[in-house]
């Protein structure tokens, strides 16, 4: 659920360098690789998953099933068991109505999500993981935003579609999954017809993913750590994160498969995994790429991200109180190559190639 912007590698880059390099790399903030006409945005035979499920008469039941989970909330592996319908709050602090921080076309996501008109990003407040290095901490930790009804959420989805966004990119969706399902069904009846992107920390229960089966077209999970002690230390005691997230990613792949793009390079369906390289090998990058290579097709889309920067409480943890170095990023990309991953994010590859030729550390 990180947002992308190629922040920098903490290696003598000035802001001007960053902008220049983003332009050079085809950074999606400034450069649109695709010339899409909104009316041509999808291959004609493509139908969103949730639309098929509705046609089969199954979507309403899923919404009902999801809403029932609010009464004894086990929407995520924290399994708080609180009754959110009655105003009880669990670890994530969320109640039953979603709190929305913002919604807009986002041009800083992966290029296949951004296309020419942007990824229709909806930022939900609150979070069930609450990492100490969270870059969205005012939203995720402090819950800033405005409470809305599911109908309002549906209208925002439709607005994003209307202005040409290629998908609905749901950032931090786990704790508001029932609202998302309900809103998607409402929006579907009013013409929603673009993929849902489930942009998650990856900390998802199998039982909940089964509810999403046949609704989500694009899963965009993080894989933050491979070691239990790191997960516990930096993500509020979530020592089961590596195990839970690995299982979740395998299930996501079972549901949607390897990423498929339309004829103009826009993502339509599939799994896109994000992995943020952290200083001092905290994220367990070698283990991660080895796990992907041995567990999933080598053509699985993987974005090895260089954007880690010190945020929120990360200053209190010496191991992660700095950005990554060029060497750390190149090492991560080399591991991906060594273990044979063939579908790495093109921007990460461009960054690798650039720094490979101008290493300074
Ligand atoms: S979604 Fe929130 S309340 Fe529900 S189990 Fe997870 S942390 Fe607890």
């Amino acid at each position: 659920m990180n947002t992308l912007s190629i922040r920098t590698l903490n290696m003598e880059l000035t802001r001007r360098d960053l902008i220049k390099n983003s332009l050079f790399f085809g950074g999606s903030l400034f450069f649109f690789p695709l010339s899409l006409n909104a009316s041509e945005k999808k291959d004609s035979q493509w139908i969103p998953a949730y639309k098929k499920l509705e046609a089969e008469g199954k979507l309403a039941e899923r919404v009902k099933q999801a809403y029932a989970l609010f009464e004894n909330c086990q929407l995520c592996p924290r399994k708080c068991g609180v009754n959110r319908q009655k105003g009880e709050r669990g670890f994530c602090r969320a109640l039953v109505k979603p709190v929305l921080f913002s919604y807009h076309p986002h041009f800083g996501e992966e290029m296949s999500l951004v296309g020419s008109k942007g990824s229709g990003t909806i930022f939900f407040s609150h979070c069930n993981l609450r990492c100490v290095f969270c870059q969205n901490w005012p939203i995720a930790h402090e819950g800033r935003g405005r409470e809305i009804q599911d109908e309002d959420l549906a209208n925002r989805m439709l607005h994003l579609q209307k202005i040409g966004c290629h998908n609905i990119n749901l950032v931090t969706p786990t704790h508001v999954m029932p609202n998302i399902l309900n809103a998607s069904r409402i929006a579907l009846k009013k013409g929603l017809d673009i993929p849902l992107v489930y942009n998650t920390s990856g900390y998802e229960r199998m039982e909940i993913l089964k509810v999403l089966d046949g609704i989500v077209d694009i899963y965009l999970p993080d894989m933050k750590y491979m070691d239990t002690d790191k997960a516990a230390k930096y993500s509020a005691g979530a020592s089961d994160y590596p195990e839970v997230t690995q299982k979740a990613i395998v299930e996501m792949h079972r549901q949607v498969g390897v990423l498929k793009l339309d004829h103009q390079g826009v993502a339509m369906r599939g799994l896109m995994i994000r992995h943020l390289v952290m200083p001092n090998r905290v994220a367990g990058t070698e283990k991660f790429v080895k796990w992907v290579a041995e567990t999933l097709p080598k053509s699985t889309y993987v974005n090895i991200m260089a954007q880690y920067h010190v945020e929120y409480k990360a200053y209190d943890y010496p191991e992660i109180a700095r950005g990554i170095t060029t060497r750390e990023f190149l090492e991560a990309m080399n591991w991906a190559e060594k273990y044979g991953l063939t579908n790495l994010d093109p921007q990460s590859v461009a960054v690798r190639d650039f720094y490979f030729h101008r290493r300074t550390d």
Side-chain angles (χ1 to χ4, degrees):
M1 64 183 189
N2 291 289
T3 53
L4 299 182
S5 59
I6 306 186
R7 272 284 186 156
T8 145
L9 308 177
N10 188 30
M11 49 193 171
E12 307 93 30
L13 271 186
T14 64
R15 190 165 182 80
R16 185 187 296 171
D17 284 334
L18 175 63
I19 293 169
K20 188 174 69 187
N21 293 336
S22 293
L23 282 162
F24 176 73
F25 297 133
S28 51
L29 265 170
F30 306 99
F31 175 68
F32 309 128
L34 307 165
S35 175
L36 296 186
N37 178 317
S39 64
E40 297 173 349
K41 62 182 174 289
K42 300 194 302 288
D43 290 340
S44 54
Q45 72 277 18
W46 186 86
I47 299 172
Y50 53 88
K51 194 170 183 178
K52 287 186 204 157
L53 207 67
E54 174 71 4
E56 292 167 13
K58 295 179 184 167
L59 188 54
E61 182 54 35
R62 294 287 184 88
V63 174
K64 203 171 149 195
Q65 193 184 349
Y67 248 86
L69 293 163
F70 276 143
E71 288 170 22
N72 172 20
C73 191
Q74 312 223 352
L75 273 164
C76 83
R78 301 275 185 194
K79 294 191 196 170
C80 301
V82 294
N83 189 336
R84 288 168 57 181
Q85 292 280 16
K86 289 192 173 164
E88 294 171 10
R89 294 182 196 261
F91 179 84
C92 66
R93 313 300 299 152
L95 289 173
V96 79
K97 285 186 193 158
V99 177
L100 198 69
F101 182 75
S102 65
Y103 68 107
H104 52 83
H106 194 339
F107 293 92
E109 301 284 69
E110 285 83 352
M111 287 193 290
S112 58
L113 295 174
V114 167
S116 61
K117 302 270 183 171
S119 178
T121 305
I122 299 178
F123 282 91
F124 294 103
S125 304
H126 303 297
C127 178
N128 66 330
L129 204 53
R130 295 168 68 176
C131 308
V132 296
F133 54 91
C134 181
Q135 62 181 348
N136 295 327
W137 60 270
I139 313 170
H141 291 244
E142 296 186 350
R144 291 186 203 174
R146 194 160 70 85
E147 196 175 87
I148 59 166
Q149 304 285 346
D150 293 354
E151 289 75 13
D152 300 324
L153 180 56
N155 288 336
R156 283 159 173 79
M157 291 177 175
L158 289 164
H159 172 75
L160 292 168
Q161 174 175 274
K162 190 175 171 192
I163 61 175
C165 294
H166 302 285
N167 46 63
I168 302 297
N169 184 347
L170 304 150
V171 183
T172 323
T174 312
H175 57 288
V176 288
M177 181 274 271
N179 310 96
I180 289 169
L181 264 51
N182 193 28
S184 302
R185 185 160 186 260
I186 296 167
L188 169 64
K189 289 181 177 171
K190 296 180 181 175
L192 189 70
D193 197 30
I194 52 178
L196 296 182
V197 180
Y198 210 70
N199 186 343
T200 163
S201 67
Y203 196 45
E204 299 283 349
R205 294 183 62 212
M206 289 293 278
E207 294 83 349
I208 302 304
L209 290 174
K210 301 278 185 200
V211 179
L212 292 167
D213 191 4
I215 296 174
V216 170
D217 271 300
I218 299 170
Y219 281 109
L220 183 59
D222 295 336
M223 184 72 225
K224 292 177 186 290
Y225 329 91
M226 297 299 284
D227 297 323
T228 55
D229 58 334
K230 308 288 187 207
K233 185 172 181 181
Y234 300 120
S235 288
S239 58
D240 58 349
Y241 176 91
E243 187 187 348
V244 164
T245 304
Q246 284 173 40
K247 284 183 183 159
I249 289 175
V250 170
E251 169 61 15
M252 291 173 191
H253 175 264
R254 185 196 69 74
Q255 291 184 21
V256 298
V258 170
L259 182 66
K260 290 186 184 64
L261 309 178
D262 72 2
H263 64 288
Q264 290 180 302
V266 175
M268 301 310 293
R269 185 171 171 83
L271 172 66
M272 302 173 74
I273 309 175
R274 288 175 169 175
H275 175 79
L276 182 65
V277 179
M278 293 182 70
N280 295 305
R281 300 182 175 175
V282 162
T285 303
E286 183 173 16
K287 257 193 202 178
F288 162 68
V289 291
K290 186 169 186 287
W291 174 79
V292 173
E294 290 174 354
T295 313
L296 300 167
K298 289 197 169 60
S299 56
T300 299
Y301 181 100
V302 173
N303 186 0
I304 293 179
M305 301 188 299
Q307 72 179 85
Y308 177 80
H309 59 282
V310 187
E311 267 287 359
Y312 194 47
K313 294 183 179 166
Y315 294 96
D316 299 336
Y317 297 83
E319 197 179 26
I320 59 168
R322 65 163 173 83
I324 65 167
T325 62
T326 311
R327 187 181 301 277
E328 285 170 325
F329 181 66
L330 291 177
E331 169 185 78
M333 293 297 283
N334 287 344
W335 280 323
E337 192 175 2
K338 174 182 157 190
Y339 289 105
L341 300 188
T342 61
N343 196 5
L344 298 174
D345 177 78
Q347 284 175 280
S348 299
V349 171
V351 173
R352 177 199 66 190
D353 292 348
F354 181 78
Y355 285 108
F356 184 77
H357 293 295
R358 70 183 288 263
R359 279 183 62 172
T360 53
D361 69 335

